[in-house]
Amino acid sequence: MAHRTAGGNAAFHNFHNDFAHVTDPNERRRLALAEIDKAPFGWYHIRAVVVAGIGFFTDAYDIFAINLVTAMLGVVYWNDHKGKIATSADTAIKVATSGGTVIGQVGFGWLADVVGRKKMYGLELMVIIFATLAQALSSASPAMSITGLIIFWRVIMGIGVGGDYPLSSIITSEFATTKWRGAMMGAVFAMQGIGQFAAAMMALIVTAGFKGSLSVAPTAADCTGLCAVSVDKMWRTIIGFGAVPGCIALYYRLTIPETPRYTFDVARDVEKAGEDVKAYVKGKAEGHPDEIRRVQTLQGKNGQIDIPKASWTDFWHHYSQWKHGKVLLGTAGSWFFLDVAFYGLGLNNSVILTAIGYTGGKDMFEVFYNTAVGNLIIVCAGAIPGYWVTVATVDTLGRKPIQLMGFIILTILFCIIGFAYHKLNTSALLALYVLCQFFFNFGPNATTFIVPGECFPTRYRSTSHGLSAASGKLGAIVAQVVFGPLKGRGATPGSSESPWLNHVMEIFALFMFCGIFTTLLIPETKRKTLEELAGEVPGTSNYDPVTAGHAGQTTAMPLEEPLPAGAPRDDDISAAEKRVS
């Protein structure tokens, strides 16, 4: 029999004592996870969202900031080319982050399933902080170009950014209450919009700070001397600031407890998992069980945990079944099709900035000022509202309907942009662009992040989310490497015309149409426990005896071991304790 532990009050309920008398580890697991699933929304849920969300704020800031910084790099390092960065260098710097992100998503995703969420959480943020500061301090030399240095450090930073995707998603998911799990995960992801806003705001602040130096140069080619020094300081400040929020969140990530689901299902440490539930709701780093009882439980009950152990053989066997493999195909395919168009839509940015009158200027101050303000308007007009509408509705409308609706509407919008491109005036194009941004984020951009963190079994949840997210970033690379140059097909050499942009938008409509069919492969996860979604709960529609570890069992296991004849029961012990006290 497990012993009761001290602690617990009206504010911090002692979950462990609710099932301390249960000796069957499978029943203790079920009871403990049920307490997490039905716990009322509290400050510890908010803390989990904020800690994970700051990481996504940092990710979005670092990714979005480079779009503003490359123009500044052109002024400083390509002054002999009229102050404009070479197209090949611009593309390589932007793609480098996506390349590193793919590595980080797969690598950190797999490691979080092998060594644990807690051991990996925070490590990816350290990588981001270090690589961000290294970029800000980089400088060209006779032996090394600035392009090579920034590409190297952005690949390293991308690895950290990639690790944040599966880790933040599954940690939020595994600690969340079932009722508001979608909103919690959506709020984490919505911090991307705030990060994009912060990057544009930071660019605006540094531009205003160096107004005097920038105003003397009418064009980028004329920005030399003090003007060039000022621009050099500007881009380093913008990039370097990306490390600040990461430093704030690092302590809280390093001290977050291991998720009880991982401790139960992978580590198979029943005592530790129960104590970690208490630690989480009290805001402590981890639980501290009685070590003697912990060892006895591990040695005596480890074999009784029903959930299969993680292994490559079990992994392949699990996903070789269509009912499980189709879910991974659905999450990975949907994310791939989404990101091709999501990153490709940015090819329209220069056109949109022109439409709203925030492009160019009489001097370099106005050029950088208009770029920063124009991007602020674009982010606020469609992206940020879309994120938070998802947060407000995802637990009522459901993930699958939102994703399906988003892909359908985006297919229609891209068809209109593509086939009617030359008939649309700038106002109509702006409206369609804002609608696309809104339905990306109130649609598949948010749900492709949420669903993979819910629908897979605990032992492979992080790996599966990492594979899905990496598939998405491969789509982003395709958009940047293939469709970026394709839009300029047939243009006069050296010009910035995009004669093929309408056809590229038509191709994106096809990708959105394909996303409709991959969405049909994923399950609806709204208001379902993670164990039910994994097929571990008997009596539910997707129950799988093999996944649950019940295959071959002919009789139900007792909830508690019978007590020997004459042994004192819990009620007798409690009465004796009261008389002594």
Side-chain angles (χ1 to χ4, degrees):
M1 180 183 296
H3 295 274
R4 295 177 178 269
T5 58
N9 53 43
F12 302 109
H13 186 70
N14 190 332
F15 291 121
H16 182 270
N17 284 351
D18 289 343
F19 49 86
H21 64 288
V22 181
T23 56
D24 174 30
N26 294 292
E27 182 63 8
R28 291 186 68 188
R29 169 183 177 271
R30 185 189 69 80
L31 291 170
L33 298 184
E35 290 293 344
I36 296 174
D37 289 335
K38 68 182 182 181
F41 190 81
W43 68 268
Y44 42 90
H45 293 117
I46 297 173
R47 185 181 70 241
V49 169
V50 171
V51 172
I54 290 178
F56 264 85
F57 173 94
T58 304
D59 299 344
Y61 180 97
D62 290 334
I63 292 172
F64 188 76
I66 200 64
N67 297 323
L68 304 170
V69 161
T70 49
M72 299 177 185
L73 291 174
V75 171
V76 179
Y77 295 101
W78 278 268
N79 194 262
D80 54 342
H81 288 80
K82 298 182 179 180
K84 185 176 181 181
I85 187 172
T87 303
S88 58
D90 182 55
T91 302
I93 289 173
K94 292 175 180 176
V95 172
T97 311
S98 297
T101 302
V102 172
I103 299 171
Q105 286 164 334
V106 176
F108 275 90
W110 173 69
L111 286 171
D113 278 337
V114 174
V115 302
R117 285 73 158 123
K118 175 180 172 61
K119 290 181 180 178
M120 301 309 299
Y121 207 42
L123 180 60
E124 87 293 348
L125 201 54
M126 292 182 191
V127 174
I128 295 173
I129 293 169
F130 180 78
T132 299
L133 293 176
Q135 285 176 73
L137 298 174
S138 295
S139 185
S141 71
M144 181 67 70
S145 69
I146 190 65
T147 304
L149 282 169
I150 292 181
I151 287 174
F152 175 79
W153 287 118
R154 288 197 74 80
V155 169
I156 302 300
M157 187 192 76
I159 293 173
V161 169
D164 206 24
Y165 275 75
L167 283 166
S168 289
S169 174
I170 62 171
I171 286 175
T172 305
S173 172
E174 292 178 0
F175 274 126
T177 176
T178 302
K179 185 177 181 180
W180 301 114
R181 187 176 62 234
M184 288 177 64
M185 298 177 72
V188 170
F189 195 69
M191 291 303 290
Q192 281 196 337
I194 308 301
Q196 294 171 5
F197 178 86
M201 182 60 72
M202 195 66 194
L204 181 61
I205 291 171
V206 296
T207 299
F210 289 98
K211 180 178 180 179
S213 303
L214 298 174
S215 299
V216 299
T219 66
D222 298 317
C223 188
T224 57
L226 182 59
C227 176
V229 171
S230 298
V231 175
D232 194 34
K233 292 177 181 178
M234 286 166 57
W235 79 260
R236 295 177 190 277
T237 303
I238 294 170
I239 293 292
F241 183 78
V244 174
C247 292
I248 296 172
L250 184 59
Y251 168 78
Y252 297 98
R253 288 199 173 194
L254 294 174
T255 56
I256 198 170
E258 182 59 87
T259 69
R261 284 183 163 87
Y262 181 88
T263 309
F264 272 123
D265 293 1
V266 183
R268 296 172 178 263
D269 191 340
V270 178
E271 296 292 335
K272 185 68 166 65
E275 291 295 319
D276 281 347
V277 172
K278 291 195 304 172
Y280 173 62
V281 297
K282 288 185 176 182
K284 295 181 180 179
E286 59 180 330
H288 299 284
D290 182 282
E291 292 300 327
I292 296 176
R293 185 169 69 250
R294 181 184 182 188
V295 172
Q296 290 174 342
T297 304
L298 283 169
Q299 292 176 345
K301 303 295 183 182
N302 192 44
Q304 293 188 24
I305 293 288
D306 289 338
I307 304 301
K309 289 185 178 181
S311 66
W312 285 111
T313 303
D314 180 66
F315 180 87
W316 292 117
H317 177 264
H318 181 79
Y319 284 114
S320 64
Q321 302 174 69
W322 174 243
K323 62 183 175 181
H324 300 307
K326 72 174 184 179
V327 179
L328 182 58
L329 178 62
T331 57
S334 297
W335 213 330
F336 174 81
F337 293 134
L338 160 76
D339 271 11
V340 171
F342 182 73
Y343 282 83
L345 186 64
L347 301 175
N348 268 320
N349 275 7
S350 60
V351 178
I352 301 304
L353 290 175
T354 301
I356 61 178
Y358 282 95
T359 185
K362 65 180 182 181
D363 53 42
M364 291 311 297
F365 168 75
E366 285 197 3
V367 169
F368 289 135
Y369 176 87
N370 287 337
T371 301
V373 174
N375 279 281
L376 280 172
I377 294 171
I378 289 174
V379 171
C380 293
I384 291 179
Y387 282 118
W388 292 102
V389 171
T390 298
V391 174
T393 60
V394 71
D395 283 311
T396 51
L397 297 179
R399 287 68 153 157
K400 194 170 181 177
I402 289 176
Q403 183 165 315
L404 197 59
M405 172 204 67
F407 273 127
I408 292 172
I409 292 176
L410 287 166
T411 301
I412 297 170
L413 291 174
F414 275 110
C415 281
I416 295 172
I417 295 173
F419 291 102
Y421 189 82
H422 297 296
K423 299 178 182 178
L424 297 170
N425 58 35
T426 53
S427 298
L429 190 61
L430 172 62
L432 290 168
Y433 179 89
V434 170
L435 285 173
C436 283
Q437 286 283 7
F438 180 81
F439 283 107
F440 268 128
N441 296 304
F442 177 44
N445 192 37
T447 54
T448 51
F449 171 80
I450 294 171
V451 174
E454 300 177 306
C455 62
F456 300 110
T458 299
R459 62 190 186 279
Y460 303 130
R461 185 171 293 126
S462 183
T463 301
S464 302
H465 193 288
L467 291 172
S468 301
S471 175
K473 275 298 176 283
L474 288 175
I477 293 172
V478 169
Q480 292 166 319
V481 174
V482 177
F483 293 110
L486 189 62
K487 69 171 182 173
R489 183 180 180 184
T492 305
S495 72
S496 58
E497 298 174 350
S498 302
W500 241 65
L501 186 57
N502 61 319
H503 299 303
V504 170
M505 295 297 115
E506 293 165 8
I507 296 172
F508 290 160
L510 176 61
F511 278 95
M512 294 297 92
F513 185 69
C514 292
I516 295 172
F517 296 98
T518 54
T519 299
L520 299 177
L521 299 176
I522 65 172
E524 176 51 63
T525 60
K526 178 185 71 172
R527 302 288 166 88
K528 294 181 180 179
T529 68
L530 299 181
E531 287 63 45
E532 180 182 350
L533 291 166
E536 299 169 8
V537 181
T540 56
S541 58
N542 56 336
Y543 172 61
D544 182 357
V546 176
T547 300
H550 299 160
Q553 291 186 8
T554 56
T555 58
M557 296 180 64
L559 298 185
E560 300 184 48
E561 294 179 353
L563 291 171
R569 298 183 177 274
D570 280 353
D571 293 341
D572 300 331
I573 294 173
S574 299
E577 289 174 346
K578 289 179 180 178
R579 286 195 296 272
V580 171
S581 61

